Amino acid sequence: MSFGNFELKLCREILLIATLFAIIGKEIIPNVEKDLIEMYNHKHYEEEARVTKAQLMREKKINEANNITIPVTVLPDQLSFVMEKDLEDDTVILRYMDYDKFQYLVQKAVLYMPAPIYFLQDTSEGYLIPEVGKYYDSICEHTYEAYIPRLKESGGFIEGFPLSWEKSIDLPKMKARWRQIYKHNIKRFFISCWTERNVDQDNMWRAYIPDSKKRERSVAIKTTIGKLKTALQYCTGMFSIRRIKYVDLDTVKLNSVAEVAQGLWATGRYMLGLKDLCYEDDHEIRVMTDNMMSNTTQWYRGGVMTLLGIKDFDYDAVPDKQAFEAPLDLREFFEEIIVSPTSREDFIQEIQTLLSANDVQNVKIIKSRVNKRRSLL
């Protein structure tokens, strides 16, 4: 796999980030800013700086080139959204769920967002496409050739990644380490799946609620991206809202390395935005957040972004949660609630009673038009 000057520059940028958080000992990279060194030395302090100005501006340029609107930084008490520029707030979205899940959403006022590794429908969630694997392997090769010999000559070392100074030993370990970090990251994203449609569809009812008995007591929430963002106003951190791209996962090519060049966390977010062509009818809008980049220290972010990791970081640790429950303000959340086409006539009243009991008022509730009986005359 070959790279042009731009791609190689990005390789070096990622390498720089990796090195700044990993290498101690004699200085081998000139002009390292003092505040970055201090950031490393104080990595365990909660109040340390989010990221340096230089790194932020680098991220901003990459995102603008890739047609993504993203905040420059997210403070612990702020809420920010990462969205494609052509995704409008008035885009209508639907979410199908059985009654128990809907009841939980209403009573708890939360959006339940499981980690993708617990998805049953698609076992390829977060699958690392071959070209991205080759891209990161090439960065490891560049890293080794450009810096490791100089590191050995200077008497330096990489904290958290012992070196034997034998390329045949160390390079495969480097390639294995970044994959280990990637697997760690994928387990810590949380997702809510919606479909971009104005009306409900029979195949969606069956796909999201395969149990026919549960389907009799199920609903489709109809809202808009703007209403969803407003409903999430009590959350903090960063949420990504994007259209899924449907591709052949075995052959898909990167449009630009900028899509994955911001580090392994950004790579995870990109991978979770791809699904195989067989799911194309879903027209999915995906809401994602995580427990890595939001409300955590620079030390943690350094650990999940870099190629080689940092000292005392357990990349095989079991995630501390299987799902994230995002607080929801339900007052203006629902555009409409559609009850299942196979539901009983009294199910609408049951839904209305549930909403009223939880102080959710003035919500339009209708029965699905799927299989609606119509006269031939």
Side-chain angles (χ1 to χ4, degrees):
M1 188 175 185
S2 61
F3 299 104
N5 291 335
F6 174 69
E7 284 83 357
L8 287 175
K9 181 177 183 294
L10 286 172
C11 290
R12 294 188 182 100
E13 294 292 350
I14 293 177
L15 171 64
L16 176 60
I17 296 171
T19 308
L20 288 173
F21 286 107
I23 295 178
I24 62 175
K26 294 185 179 180
E27 182 181 358
I28 64 166
I29 297 180
N31 302 320
V32 176
E33 296 182 8
K34 180 181 179 181
D35 59 341
L36 284 175
I37 298 173
E38 291 176 351
M39 187 185 299
Y40 176 81
N41 291 335
H42 296 86
K43 63 186 178 183
H44 295 288
Y45 285 83
E46 290 288 338
E47 68 271 22
E48 69 188 349
R50 302 285 297 178
V51 272
T52 66
K53 181 179 178 181
Q55 183 177 334
L56 287 171
M57 293 307 297
R58 225 167 19 241
E59 292 177 0
K60 185 172 185 292
K61 289 178 181 178
I62 291 173
N63 287 318
E64 287 176 348
N66 200 34
N67 195 35
I68 295 175
T69 301
I70 185 170
V72 171
T73 189
V74 181
L75 298 177
D77 58 348
Q78 290 182 336
L79 169 65
S80 296
F81 292 97
V82 180
M83 289 178 59
E84 296 164 334
K85 290 182 179 179
D86 61 347
L87 200 56
E88 303 292 340
D89 279 355
D90 60 1
T91 301
V92 177
I93 53 178
L94 295 174
R95 176 78 171 99
Y96 298 81
M97 60 184 68
D98 62 45
Y99 180 79
D100 289 343
K101 292 178 181 177
F102 180 71
Q103 183 183 46
Y104 191 88
L105 181 149
V106 172
Q107 291 180 341
K108 299 290 186 179
V110 295
L111 183 64
Y112 186 82
M113 303 177 67
I117 59 172
Y118 300 107
F119 286 8
L120 299 178
Q121 183 188 35
D122 184 2
T123 57
S124 296
E125 290 285 356
Y127 169 73
L128 190 73
I129 62 175
E131 188 158 299
V132 173
K134 293 177 183 177
Y135 168 70
Y136 272 104
D137 282 346
S138 72
I139 296 177
C140 289
E141 292 163 5
H142 172 79
T143 300
Y144 197 95
E145 296 294 341
Y147 292 97
I148 299 305
R150 293 168 56 192
L151 182 64
K152 182 179 181 180
E153 291 174 5
S154 70
F157 57 93
I158 300 178
E159 189 176 64
F161 192 85
L163 290 163
S164 70
W165 309 111
E166 292 290 336
K167 183 178 179 179
S168 61
I169 297 174
D170 294 333
L171 186 55
K173 286 172 58 180
M174 292 170 68
K175 293 179 179 180
R177 170 58 67 86
W178 79 254
R179 285 177 168 82
Q180 185 183 28
I181 298 171
Y182 177 80
K183 289 179 180 179
H184 168 278
N185 294 356
I186 283 294
K187 297 175 184 177
R188 288 159 175 81
F189 281 90
F190 305 114
I191 293 173
S192 179
C193 304
W194 297 73
T195 183
E196 186 179 2
R197 294 190 187 276
N198 283 306
V199 296
D200 62 303
Q201 294 190 317
D202 184 53
N203 64 320
M204 291 289 99
W205 288 106
R206 296 176 184 276
Y208 280 92
I209 309 110
D211 187 317
S212 60
K213 296 299 292 183
K214 286 187 175 183
R215 201 182 312 133
E216 293 176 2
R217 291 171 51 78
S218 57
V219 303
I221 296 172
K222 184 177 183 179
T223 188
T224 65
I225 287 178
K227 285 179 176 288
L228 177 59
K229 289 165 61 178
T230 300
L232 291 168
Q233 64 181 298
Y234 297 120
C235 297
T236 57
M238 185 184 295
F239 285 76
S240 170
I241 304 177
R242 63 185 304 170
R243 286 187 178 95
I244 289 293
K245 295 179 181 178
Y246 297 95
V247 299
D248 183 336
L249 290 176
D250 296 319
T251 61
V252 63
K253 303 296 183 182
L254 278 172
N255 293 325
S256 168
V257 295
E259 294 174 305
V260 296
Q262 296 177 56
L264 292 171
W265 171 81
T267 300
R269 190 179 68 197
Y270 173 74
M271 292 294 98
L272 289 170
L274 302 179
K275 287 178 71 74
D276 199 78
L277 288 168
C278 62
Y279 298 105
E280 193 169 12
D281 285 348
D282 289 358
H283 291 267
E284 184 180 337
I285 297 286
R286 177 161 286 192
V287 182
M288 290 188 285
T289 190
D290 63 84
N291 66 346
M292 297 182 297
M293 296 294 284
S294 301
N295 302 320
T296 119
T297 66
Q298 184 68 42
W299 175 76
Y300 195 100
R301 288 197 307 281
V304 301
M305 290 288 283
T306 60
L307 286 171
L308 304 181
I310 55 179
K311 185 180 179 181
D312 301 328
F313 197 110
D314 185 2
Y315 294 101
D316 295 320
V318 176
D320 57 356
K321 60 178 72 174
Q322 296 184 2
F324 174 67
E325 296 186 346
L328 280 179
D329 182 350
L330 299 178
R331 289 174 294 180
E332 302 294 334
F333 176 52
F334 301 105
E335 182 94 355
E336 192 173 81
I337 295 175
I338 307 168
V339 300
S340 167
T342 59
S343 64
R344 294 168 42 131
E345 292 301 320
D346 60 354
F347 190 52
I348 288 181
Q349 182 57 51
E350 187 176 351
I351 296 297
Q352 184 61 66
T353 301
L354 172 66
L355 294 175
S356 298
N358 290 277
D359 200 28
V360 181
Q361 309 295 333
N362 303 317
V363 178
K364 183 179 180 181
I365 307 172
I366 65 170
K367 186 163 184 175
S368 170
R369 294 165 60 89
V370 174
N371 298 330
K372 180 179 179 180
R373 293 181 179 274
R374 294 177 174 85
S375 171
L376 294 176
L377 298 177

